[in-house]
Amino acid sequence: PADWARAPLEPAVRAVLVAFDEHFSYAKLCQALRYLQRGGPDCLLVGTNRDHRLPLEGGAAIPGTGCLVKAVETAAEREAFIVGKPNRYMFDCVVSEFNIDPARTIMVGDRLDTDILMGNSCGLTTLLTLTGVTTLEDVKGHLESGCPDRQRLVPDYYVDSIADLLPALED
Amino acid sequence: VGAVGGGGMAGCRRLSGAGLREVLGPAQGLLFDCDGVLWAGERAVPGAPELLERLRRSGKATLFVSNNSRRSVAELERRFSRLGFRGVRAEQVFSSALCSALFLRQRLLLGGGGGPGRVFVLGGEGLRGEVRDAGLRLAGEGEQGSGDAEPVRAVLVGYDDQFTFAKLAQACSYLRDPQCLLVATDPDPWHPLSDGQRTPGTGSLTAAVETASGRKALVVGKPNTYMFDCIVERFGVDPSRTLMVGDRLETDILFGKNCGLSTILTLTGVSRLEEAQAYMASDSAAAKDLVPNYYVDSIADLIPGLDE
């Protein structure tokens, strides 16, 4: 690390972007910290998303981008700007390109703390599908919790699969 | 102005002159952090070797408590000698590497309930050696699960400059077993390099493992008190007659507070006096615990407080 810290830094770097990186390493973390320290507030720290885990078949999972973002945030002692759900930046991108009326738009997702939370925060109608990571028990837990933060994870509606929407579109 | 711990907020007073003698006189022993206190990189802090020698001659115990999990105690003993500190014995040195190994030995070997299993270590050879010396077996890297291999009963996160995504994924697979412990050597987010830059610490790697596994790590190092328990077990130290000397408010000074020790901040390392004063002025109760009782510019300033 002392040697790595002597390697030249590129002069024009103004942002560190943390995304999914299966080749993440201490050396890269070290470089990120050097750029952030050198730039101070003039060097942005951006993360694509905070997902903890990416599920694989059979119940296994691999670490998500959120882990790498947390490593950089901890070393740099500062918070990243997160682009992805549940933050609203991506919704703002959609709105700026397509004339969306939130009151007439449905957000469909399988994850409460990203898809549904973003939808609820942006004033969309939210629809949970059960073909992904979330079970109905998870939702019930939040619904019955009485905690406002957890209530925001509860969707307006759910379906077992998005295929269940087809009958409503026939005719 | 006696060396009294506990109760009320510390005053962050400069230690000098008569105050020095009043504080050092009654002390039976001093605990020193190492990096930023005794040395910075490969340079001893000027006067530090002489201070330790004078303490020894005054009959005061000197012990060392470091969050640095890179080096084995044997390597640290050689480092002391190489940097000009005479007569420091391995048994006086408590590193987070050693104490993490002792902690795991306690929980795995002596805890009963099935075999001790193996430990998956994220760290260098110094840390791995301490775990082996404690009688524990290490899980290899890139191993495929085999029915006959002993299960991995703990993941130990230390300073690992060879940390990779693959190792993070492997750690998580072991942690799917709720019986598998997650232990971290220390919480330090970064460490200073001699040119003023910073290098990521164990705390940043632990944050990645915690996030991926959904578990909270048991942290052995300062400011948690386990290392003090190790010290007391070996030497029977009286907290009310012991001073803690360190350079990092969030680890050393808080550690001292948590263990009931009076604390001295030295300004040759990480924390600035302004930070201590800011904590003192803060309304938060937690901030008060980060304020040292005393401060010095360097530990060499303690020398006049000792008998000739």
Side-chain angles (χ1 to χ4, degrees):
Chain A
D3 289 338
W4 301 334
R6 282 195 273 271
L9 288 180
E10 297 207 28
V13 169
R14 298 272 313 277
V16 170
L17 174 63
V18 186
F20 181 74
D21 183 4
E22 63 191 357
H23 300 292
F24 184 85
S25 67
Y26 184 90
K28 289 173 135 180
L29 175 60
C30 200
Q31 277 300 83
L33 180 57
R34 291 177 73 206
Y35 281 117
L36 291 167
Q37 233 206 308
R38 181 189 74 173
D42 290 337
C43 182
L44 299 178
L45 173 55
V46 181
T48 55
N49 62 295
R50 282 206 187 276
D51 292 45
H52 295 178
R53 248 170 291 191
L54 302 180
L56 304 174
E57 287 174 46
I62 53 172
T65 305
C67 311
L68 311 183
V69 172
K70 256 292 176 221
V72 178
E73 287 182 314
T74 303
E77 293 178 312
R78 58 187 273 194
E79 215 175 290
F81 176 84
I82 302 298
V83 169
K85 304 170 288 184
N87 297 51
R88 57 174 302 142
Y89 187 77
M90 293 211 289
F91 178 69
D92 293 340
C93 289
V94 172
V95 166
S96 69
E97 266 202 54
F98 301 92
N99 199 9
I100 301 269
D101 175 6
R104 299 195 57 195
T105 306
I106 303 174
M107 171 72 201
V108 186
D110 74 310
R111 223 184 158 111
L112 299 178
D113 61 351
T114 52
D115 307 320
I116 303 304
L117 182 54
M118 186 194 81
N120 286 343
S121 306
C122 296
L124 308 174
T125 301
T126 50
L127 172 61
L128 172 71
T129 174
L130 297 176
T131 46
V133 301
T134 306
T135 66
L136 217 42
E137 281 63 48
D138 295 332
V139 184
K140 269 174 138 183
H142 295 309
L143 191 54
E144 290 161 5
S145 74
C147 163
D149 279 346
R150 292 182 67 183
Q151 301 284 349
R152 285 161 58 220
L153 301 175
V154 177
D156 296 306
Y157 305 99
Y158 75 92
V159 285
D160 292 319
S161 144
I162 58 173
D164 297 353
L165 299 172
L166 281 169
L169 299 167
E170 279 148 21
D171 272 342
Chain B
V1 188
V4 178
M9 183 179 67
C12 195
R13 297 200 296 288
R14 177 184 282 280
L15 206 49
S16 61
L20 256 180
R21 295 188 152 275
E22 285 171 25
V23 171
L24 286 180
Q28 284 174 341
L30 286 80
L31 302 187
F32 289 93
D33 175 43
C34 301
D35 300 305
V37 177
L38 303 177
W39 54 64
E42 286 301 306
R43 270 186 72 242
V45 165
E50 187 193 341
L51 170 71
L52 293 195
E53 180 56 31
R54 295 284 297 275
L55 284 167
R56 200 179 61 81
R57 278 198 257 131
S58 301
K60 298 195 188 295
T62 55
L63 300 173
F64 307 96
V65 53
S66 170
N67 270 2
N68 191 320
S69 61
R70 281 175 60 196
R71 301 184 177 97
S72 65
V73 163
E75 285 173 74
L76 277 170
E77 192 186 32
R78 287 193 291 277
R79 185 175 173 78
F80 272 98
S81 175
R82 195 172 70 244
L83 264 51
F85 297 87
R86 303 270 156 257
V88 174
R89 299 180 322 279
E91 62 172 11
Q92 294 168 261
V93 181
F94 294 81
S95 72
S96 67
L98 169 71
C99 294
S100 297
L102 294 176
F103 178 81
L104 287 172
R105 182 174 71 180
Q106 218 169 37
R107 296 289 290 263
L108 297 184
L109 278 179
L110 310 175
R118 293 173 296 148
V119 181
F120 181 62
V121 177
L122 294 162
E125 198 40 51
L127 178 60
R128 303 166 75 82
E130 292 288 8
V131 175
R132 273 188 223 107
D133 287 351
L136 295 159
R137 293 185 47 230
L138 303 180
E141 281 148 46
E143 271 180 13
Q144 302 309 309
S146 110
D148 295 332
E150 287 174 62
V152 171
R153 294 208 188 277
V155 169
L156 175 62
V157 186
Y159 175 84
D160 186 6
D161 62 16
Q162 305 299 310
F163 185 84
T164 60
F165 185 92
K167 287 166 117 181
L168 173 62
Q170 192 154 25
C172 288
S173 72
Y174 292 132
L175 289 166
R176 282 170 71 194
D177 173 6
Q179 298 302 310
C180 181
L181 298 178
L182 173 56
V183 182
T185 56
D186 68 277
D188 297 2
W190 52 267
H191 300 286
L193 297 170
S194 38
D195 64 358
Q197 293 190 98
R198 297 177 181 179
T199 194
T202 306
S204 63
L205 308 182
T206 306
V209 179
E210 287 183 323
T211 304
S213 63
R215 305 265 297 268
K216 275 310 252 170
L218 296 160
V219 181
V220 169
K222 302 172 285 182
N224 292 346
T225 57
Y226 184 77
M227 296 220 282
F228 188 66
D229 297 342
C230 295
I231 290 171
V232 167
E233 169 141 354
R234 195 182 280 178
F235 289 107
V237 162
D238 175 1
S240 68
R241 303 283 299 272
T242 307
L243 303 172
M244 173 68 199
V245 184
D247 71 307
R248 200 159 195 163
L249 297 169
E250 297 80 11
T251 48
D252 303 319
I253 301 307
L254 183 55
F255 172 77
K257 171 75 177 166
N258 289 340
C259 300
L261 311 168
S262 284
T263 54
I264 302 175
L265 173 71
T266 175
L267 298 176
T268 47
V270 166
S271 295
R272 308 267 63 86
L273 181 59
E274 296 69 46
E275 293 164 44
Q277 290 165 337
Y279 283 131
M280 203 159 70
S282 162
D283 289 328
S284 117
K288 313 286 193 203
D289 288 346
L290 300 172
V291 180
N293 294 99
Y294 312 106
Y295 74 92
V296 289
D297 290 319
S298 144
I299 60 173
D301 297 351
L302 298 174
I303 295 174
L306 299 167
D307 298 330
E308 295 301 310

